[in-house]
Amino acid sequence: MTTTMTIRLEDNLNERLSKLANATDRSKAYLATQALKLFLDNNEWQVTEIEQALSQADKAGSDQFADNEAVIAWMESWGSDEELPAPL
């Protein structure tokens, strides 16, 4: 099953797509679909990984994470005579 979708293209992008379609004897729709598939393949995994990491973080104990203020204070102390120990 397929669905029709309308998109607005900048003139230069439409021209590039038309040239590539002519050069490869493919339709602009085919090339756009292939480009969208590639984009999704290259980017979907990131969302999945972030969702899994957030789920794991929500289940983790507070001893597994450092407070943001503590990390900033530690980093700001670097190189000083009173350098703080790492927060964890």
Side-chain angles (χ1 to χ4, degrees):
M1 182 172 176
T2 61
T3 301
T4 301
M5 181 177 147
T6 302
I7 61 171
R8 294 183 190 274
L9 298 176
E10 296 173 357
D11 290 341
N12 67 331
L13 186 56
N14 185 48
E15 185 177 320
R16 290 172 59 196
L17 185 58
S18 293
K19 285 180 181 179
L20 185 58
N22 288 333
T24 59
D25 200 26
R26 296 285 190 173
S27 70
K28 291 191 317 184
Y30 173 84
L31 294 177
T33 299
Q34 294 304 307
L36 185 55
K37 285 179 183 178
L38 182 60
F39 177 85
L40 291 172
D41 288 346
N42 287 333
N43 290 281
E44 275 180 325
W45 68 270
Q46 293 179 34
V47 173
T48 301
E49 291 294 321
I50 290 168
E51 288 171 345
Q52 288 175 355
L54 288 173
S55 176
Q56 289 175 351
D58 287 343
K59 295 175 187 172
S62 61
D63 62 331
Q64 293 182 318
F65 292 95
D67 180 69
N68 185 56
E69 288 77 21
V71 172
I72 291 173
W74 171 58
M75 291 174 59
E76 288 176 344
S77 75
W78 290 355
S80 73
D81 292 336
E82 298 173 10
E83 188 170 316
L84 300 171
L88 288 180

